[in-house]
Amino acid sequence: MPQLDWQQILSQAISFLVLLAILRRFAWKPLLTMLDARRHQIERDLQQAAQGKVELARLQEEYAQRLAKIEDEARSKIQQAILEGKKVAVEIQEQARQLAYASLEKSKQTIELELAKAKVTLRDQMAEMTVDAVERVLRQKLDAKADRQLIDSVLDDLEREGARG
Amino acid sequence: MASDAHHAVEQAVQHGAQAAEAAGHGGGDAIPELPNFITALSHQFHDAPWAHWLHQWENLVFAWLVALILCTVAWRYSRRPATIPGRGQNLLEMLVNGLDQLVQGVIGHEGRHFTPFIGSLFLYIWLMNLAGMVPGLKSPTSNLNTTVALAIVVFCYVQWTGIRRLGPARYVSHLAGEPTDVVGWVLAPLMLVLHVLGEFIKPLSLSLRLCFNVFAEDVLLAVLVGLGIGAGFAIGTFKIGLPFQLFALPLVLIFSTVQALVFSLLSTVYIALMLPHEEHH
């Protein structure tokens, strides 16, 4: 074991102090500063990520609410459209019914008119046929006006009896 | 058969001692020591004054070598520290962060101020301890001059920290046990003497512990290398040594690390004890 040598001790101490000064300036300071900066950055990023998560949840909730609202509106509009459609259908049915009724009425009137016409025509024809027949039967020519009156009265009697019967 | 084995071992020990002695300082020193490149140079050029100078200052030369390695690594990886570190920077950051946590764990948030000192001390001592494991190198910490120098630096740093943080009056009061009552004042001179003694014993214990532990590790390696050489010469036709020291290298690695850690941690504790109490509680 060597004896203590103050020159060596002093040299070693100075060596260490020089090393310390170099390392403090060129290694410890930049590395510790960088480690702190990174730690702060990670903290900040984590905080931002947490805030982002909260914001995302809030947006999701908002979108869900908005979607639900849109669905409600759509549903109510569809309901309204259905109701209006039903109403229009009822109106169309009613119009159709009215048109059909009017058409029916018109047809009835036409039929009645035609019937009346036919009756008159038939009556005229029957009268003529009857006169012809009577003329042939009696072989005599009666007064036209008197014949006509006679036949009308006969036909009126017949009608009355028919209406009664 | 048994006598043959006994003879072989005896011869091996003799060879080992001779080999270690021849390769080491070789001044008839009974303690075996592994050779390093400076001892080899001085052996080769024993008349040259530069070889003599190198041999005389070999501990300082190896300490400078370690310091140079440290400075190179520090410069290489902390010149432009990247936010996303590479492999080397990552390793260095792990060390720096670990040492910072260690110092802050003992001293508290104020400890950041002392991290460069303690960290440099640890890395310097650690690498100097490990240098003994590298063939051709030597642990400068196995020499008492190196450890005494480091202990004196720590002692001065601790006292300077105390005077700066506490102020001269409170520093003396701290050494006198911070007397507050009559009993305290009566005991103050005794406490002062005890504390001052304690302050001087601290660097003494630091330096002796480190030096003798590392010295013992180096001696262990030297003995094992000597035994290996002796055994190789005794049993082999090829004149090469058996690597007995390989088994001790993991142990030396652990002890070197532990001793560096003990020195740094105790220095941290001494600083913490010197700081105002409200700061490190």
Side-chain angles (χ1 to χ4, degrees):
Chain A
M1 286 297 291
Q3 296 299 309
L4 284 180
D5 177 354
W6 288 106
Q7 273 187 325
Q8 295 229 12
I9 290 173
L10 199 65
S11 309
Q12 291 279 15
I14 290 169
S15 298
F16 174 67
L17 289 176
V18 170
L19 174 73
L20 176 64
I22 293 171
L23 289 184
R24 188 194 278 266
R25 169 74 183 80
F26 293 105
W28 289 102
K29 205 175 168 187
L31 278 176
L32 287 174
T33 310
M34 206 274 306
L35 283 176
D36 280 348
R38 191 188 295 154
R39 191 175 293 128
H40 287 142
Q41 190 183 341
I42 289 169
E43 275 174 7
R44 205 168 44 238
D45 288 353
L46 284 176
Q47 217 168 9
Q48 279 177 355
Q51 279 177 354
K53 220 182 247 183
V54 170
E55 180 71 8
L56 186 70
R58 193 186 65 76
L59 279 176
Q60 266 182 341
E61 201 176 338
E62 196 182 306
Y63 285 145
Q65 281 177 355
R66 206 177 285 176
L67 206 65
K69 199 176 164 187
I70 288 167
E71 276 180 3
D72 281 351
E73 278 178 8
R75 202 175 294 124
S76 69
K77 276 186 181 167
I78 289 167
Q79 291 290 334
Q80 204 177 343
I82 289 169
L83 285 175
E84 277 181 14
K86 278 183 181 170
K87 201 171 154 187
V88 169
V90 168
E91 278 175 8
I92 289 169
Q93 276 181 349
E94 190 59 32
Q95 279 178 359
R97 198 175 291 125
Q98 282 175 359
L99 277 174
Y101 184 72
S103 175
L104 192 65
E105 285 297 312
K106 202 174 172 183
S107 301
K108 268 185 184 174
Q109 283 175 357
T110 310
I111 289 166
E112 277 175 6
L113 201 65
E114 289 296 323
L115 191 63
K117 269 186 188 172
K119 273 183 181 172
V120 170
T121 310
L122 189 63
R123 188 170 163 175
D124 285 349
Q125 284 177 350
M126 276 184 71
E128 280 174 12
M129 282 167 70
T130 309
V131 168
D132 282 345
V134 170
E135 272 181 357
R136 270 180 211 154
V137 170
L138 293 177
R139 298 284 178 201
Q140 62 180 16
K141 183 72 177 158
L142 292 176
D143 182 39
K145 199 180 174 183
D147 286 349
R148 182 78 197 176
Q149 280 177 346
L150 180 66
I151 290 160
D152 280 344
S153 67
V154 170
L155 285 171
D156 284 342
D157 288 344
L158 280 170
E159 274 181 4
R160 267 197 298 274
E161 279 174 16
R164 210 179 292 146
Chain B
M1 200 61 187
S3 68
D4 280 356
H6 181 73
H7 180 68
V9 170
E10 208 170 70
Q11 208 176 2
V13 172
Q14 204 177 353
H15 270 289
Q18 278 171 1
E21 196 177 316
H25 290 271
D29 201 358
I31 302 165
E33 194 175 343
L34 280 177
N36 56 60
F37 75 87
I38 290 179
T39 51
L41 278 174
S42 69
H43 199 69
Q44 190 72 25
F45 307 97
H46 51 86
D47 290 333
W50 59 267
H52 179 71
W53 183 88
L54 269 181
H55 183 59
Q56 191 187 348
W57 293 89
E58 64 174 4
N59 291 307
L60 192 66
V61 172
F62 285 116
W64 282 349
L65 196 68
V66 165
L68 188 71
I69 292 168
L70 260 179
C71 286
T72 311
V73 171
W75 179 77
R76 167 77 181 78
Y77 292 111
S78 61
R79 193 176 22 157
R80 275 190 291 274
T83 312
I84 299 166
R87 206 176 291 172
Q89 192 188 328
N90 217 345
L91 193 70
L92 199 63
E93 276 178 14
M94 204 172 74
L95 267 173
V96 166
N97 203 33
L99 289 166
D100 188 36
Q101 296 293 320
L102 182 81
V103 176
Q104 290 201 34
V106 175
I107 298 178
H109 291 300
E110 189 74 4
R112 167 55 69 85
H113 180 74
F114 304 101
T115 300
F117 178 79
I118 301 294
S120 304
L121 196 66
F122 172 78
L123 293 173
Y124 190 48
I125 295 172
W126 190 39
L127 287 190
M128 283 199 290
N129 291 352
L130 293 179
M133 292 169 66
V134 182
L137 298 186
K138 182 200 174 187
S139 298
T141 36
S142 66
N143 185 280
L144 198 59
N145 290 318
T146 313
T147 56
V148 166
L150 292 173
I152 288 173
V153 170
V154 170
F155 171 79
C156 293
Y157 186 75
V158 169
Q159 304 313 316
W160 180 65
T161 303
I163 294 170
R164 207 177 50 146
R165 290 296 172 103
L166 298 169
R170 204 171 156 203
Y171 170 72
V172 176
S173 161
H174 176 78
L175 287 181
E178 294 185 351
T180 48
D181 49 8
V182 180
V183 180
W185 281 108
V186 168
L187 290 175
L190 181 66
M191 296 297 281
L192 187 68
V193 172
L194 284 176
H195 270 114
V196 171
L197 266 176
E199 290 301 317
F200 281 103
I201 288 168
K202 280 173 188 172
L204 190 72
S205 73
L206 274 182
S207 56
L208 289 179
R209 183 189 301 109
L210 179 61
C211 173
F212 287 124
N213 271 293
V214 178
F215 183 71
E217 288 166 14
D218 285 2
V219 169
L220 176 69
L221 284 181
V223 167
L224 287 172
V225 168
L227 271 176
I229 291 170
F233 274 47
I235 63 169
T237 47
F238 301 106
K239 300 298 182 191
I240 53 164
L242 298 177
F244 284 174
Q245 78 276 18
L246 283 183
F247 303 105
L249 284 179
L251 205 66
V252 172
L253 183 71
I254 294 169
F255 282 173
S256 297
T257 311
V258 167
Q259 284 309 317
L261 199 65
V262 165
F263 195 101
S264 319
L265 201 61
L266 283 176
S267 303
T268 317
V269 171
Y270 297 156
I271 292 170
L273 287 174
M274 192 53 86
L275 288 175
H277 291 302
E278 61 272 14
E279 282 190 24
H280 65 88
H281 276 304

